Amino acid sequence: MRALIFGITGQDGSYLAEFLLQKGYEVHGVMRRASTFNTSRVDHIYQDPHADKYVFKLHYGDLSDSSTLRKLIYQIQPDEIYNLGAQSHVRVSFDIPEYTANITGLGALRVLEAVKDYQEDTDRKIKFYQASSSEMFGATPPPQNENSVFYPRSPYGASKAFAYYMTRNYREAYGMFAVNGILFNHESPRRGETFVTRKITRGIARIKAGLDKKLYLGNLEARRDWGYAKEYVEAMWLMLQQPVAEDYVIGTGESHSVKEFLVAAFQYAGLPDWEKYVEIDQRYYRPTEVENLIADTTKAKNKLGWTASTKFEDLVKIMVDADIKLLGSEK
Ligand code: NAP
Ligand code: GDD
């Protein structure tokens, strides 16, 4: 089996690549050219092109660049494509809405269109996974499942909703095996440093090491359904192994506030007086907020046999431990 991953250098892309390699896949990934190294999450699985068994291959490309992604699909001839590439930061999407729509929204369409043409030209089939998001539910009250109404509250959420509907449309219009995994927030030690969980655990490590005195945050009242990213990539793969292409909600079924995460993380790190270190800064608030997300994962449980094993308390511990260790080794 051959898989092509857009967004391989991201949190999920790196876990998915590891997972598929363990399953015996040949894994191809698309990375952006950057002036600094952007492969730190996959460096540990990087292979020299001259290796005997060369099964992990990186290619330059960008979701804004149809001709290159089309060329890659024709050259690689993957059995499965996972589109995890996105401008994925909700707050940033208010600053760069057009770019976000182009990459997070239109990027998915560019891949779908290339897959459609490839299938028509070659008579081969490609299964397509779209990284849809609980952000699409936005203001719709929890719990949210596959039938809940979308009410996006950000350019990011609206762009993901566009990509979601295009994925469904290509499934219905052209009979493509195209699925949406509607994933709720999932975190890990590989989470980008500006998402709130990682910002907190990294901030704690720096405060403990005496490198920072304060941690500046925004809205502490928002609630999220936080799971462990390493487990969620299995659900992505399972969706593509089903006899019929369908969309699935993936989460833990629990919701916690940012404040709860903050308190649990500071306490676990041995700093129970968290208020000494945390300041609220308006710049981290969003013009419109998503207040509460809780996944109803009944369908995933019944059809995929998938449930989240790592819950809130364990996730906090994994992330705090990892950031304290990382800072120690950097020092
Ligand atoms: P992430 O760490 O931000 O990774 C995003 C990936 O997309 C990175 O590899 C990034 O490359 C790549 N990318 C960005 N712009 C691109 C472009 N113009 N062309 C090609 N690739 C581009 O995100 P993640 O947490 O792994 O999430 C994976 C996907 O799931 C994203 O689509 C995200 O929106 C979606 N999602 C995430 C969550 C979550 O809680 N993590 C929940 C629901 C849905 P660089 O490394 O070069 O920046
Ligand atoms: N990033 C950030 N930074 N968020 C903060 C901060 C801060 O300093 N302070 C409070 N928050 C609040 C945000 O307002 C939001 O309500 C919550 O923390 C979570 O923010 P993020 O961690 O940035 O994640 P997100 O929920 O907006 O988006 C993530 O999850 C989506 C799935 O629901 C991203 O991974 C998206 O790509 C993903 O689709």
Side-chain angles (χ1 to χ4, degrees):
M1 291 291 281
R2 216 162 21 238
L4 172 59
I5 303 175
F6 290 92
I8 197 153
T9 55
Q11 170 187 253
D12 292 6
S14 65
Y15 284 121
L16 180 64
E18 282 171 7
F19 177 85
L20 294 176
L21 286 170
Q22 276 165 15
K23 288 236 166 263
Y25 278 60
E26 179 177 307
V27 175
H28 294 252
V30 175
M31 58 179 275
R32 301 193 283 175
R33 195 272 153 180
S35 65
T36 50
F37 290 124
N38 60 355
T39 55
S40 62
R41 294 186 179 104
V42 288
D43 281 345
H44 61 292
I45 48 174
Y46 176 80
Q47 287 182 326
D48 187 288
H50 307 99
D52 282 348
K53 198 164 171 273
Y54 182 38
V55 289
F56 180 70
K57 307 184 186 188
L58 295 176
H59 310 263
Y60 283 113
D62 194 296
L63 283 164
S64 63
D65 177 6
S66 302
S67 61
T68 305
L69 62 87
R70 185 169 285 265
K71 185 181 71 189
L72 287 172
I73 291 170
Y74 276 73
Q75 279 175 357
I76 296 165
Q77 305 189 358
D79 301 291
E80 296 174 359
I81 292 181
Y82 296 85
N83 179 31
L84 313 181
Q87 189 304 91
S88 71
H89 203 285
V90 174
R91 176 65 193 84
V92 173
S93 79
F94 289 97
D95 299 331
I96 49 170
E98 182 183 334
Y99 176 79
T100 302
N102 189 15
I103 302 308
T104 306
L106 276 175
L109 173 58
R110 291 187 183 102
V111 181
L112 282 163
E113 188 59 11
V115 171
K116 170 176 151 285
D117 289 350
Y118 170 84
Q119 294 197 155
E120 285 170 5
D121 288 349
T122 63
D123 254 357
R124 288 187 84 249
K125 295 269 182 224
I126 298 178
K127 293 182 175 178
F128 174 82
Y129 174 89
Q130 168 59 20
S132 284
S133 165
S134 50
E135 266 295 303
M136 300 186 305
F137 296 123
T140 293
Q144 296 95 357
N145 66 23
E146 293 79 5
N147 300 315
S148 300
V149 172
F150 292 154
Y151 188 160
R153 298 271 284 169
S154 63
Y156 169 83
S159 304
K160 281 288 182 189
F162 171 80
Y164 167 92
Y165 283 120
M166 292 316 301
T167 302
R168 276 190 76 149
N169 183 245
Y170 273 60
R171 178 165 82 217
E172 292 167 7
Y174 308 115
M176 281 173 48
F177 195 107
V179 308
N180 286 289
I182 308 174
L183 272 52
F184 285 57
N185 297 51
H186 44 282
E187 321 292 311
S188 75
R190 295 186 199 169
R191 184 57 143 154
E193 288 88 346
T194 61
F195 296 95
V196 77
T197 54
R198 185 77 201 285
K199 187 170 164 183
I200 292 169
T201 58
R202 190 168 171 270
I204 287 172
R206 291 181 63 81
I207 288 168
K208 270 183 86 83
L211 295 172
D212 282 341
K213 290 194 166 51
K214 294 282 180 193
L215 174 61
Y216 296 92
L217 295 170
N219 178 14
L220 303 187
E221 303 310 319
R223 302 182 71 86
R224 291 290 182 274
D225 179 333
W226 280 298
Y228 186 24
K230 195 174 179 180
E231 291 172 1
Y232 282 38
V233 298
E234 184 185 13
M236 298 176 187
W237 175 78
L238 282 169
M239 287 178 214
L240 294 195
Q241 313 314 311
Q242 301 308 303
V244 179
E246 290 181 53
D247 306 325
Y248 296 88
V249 156
I250 297 294
T252 68
E254 275 182 24
S255 153
H256 296 271
S257 67
V258 174
K259 190 170 177 181
E260 283 167 22
F261 191 99
L262 183 69
V263 172
F266 269 91
Q267 264 172 2
Y268 178 66
L271 300 169
D273 45 353
W274 63 272
E275 277 150 313
K276 250 174 58 188
Y277 304 104
V278 176
E279 299 271 340
I280 300 300
D281 185 333
Q282 288 301 318
R283 86 178 66 193
Y284 300 115
Y285 277 72
R286 286 124 198 235
T288 39
E289 177 64 285
V290 170
E291 303 295 346
N292 196 2
L293 295 171
I294 310 175
D296 167 5
T297 57
T298 310
K299 182 177 176 187
K301 220 176 283 171
N302 292 340
K303 288 204 165 180
L304 303 178
W306 185 93
T307 46
S309 314
T310 306
K311 297 290 181 74
F312 181 76
E313 301 291 340
D314 289 332
L315 181 66
V316 169
K317 289 178 187 168
I318 290 170
M319 292 182 69
V320 170
D321 285 342
D323 267 320
I324 289 174
K325 192 169 163 211
L326 182 68
L327 197 68
S329 61
E330 277 172 5
K331 276 171 89 187

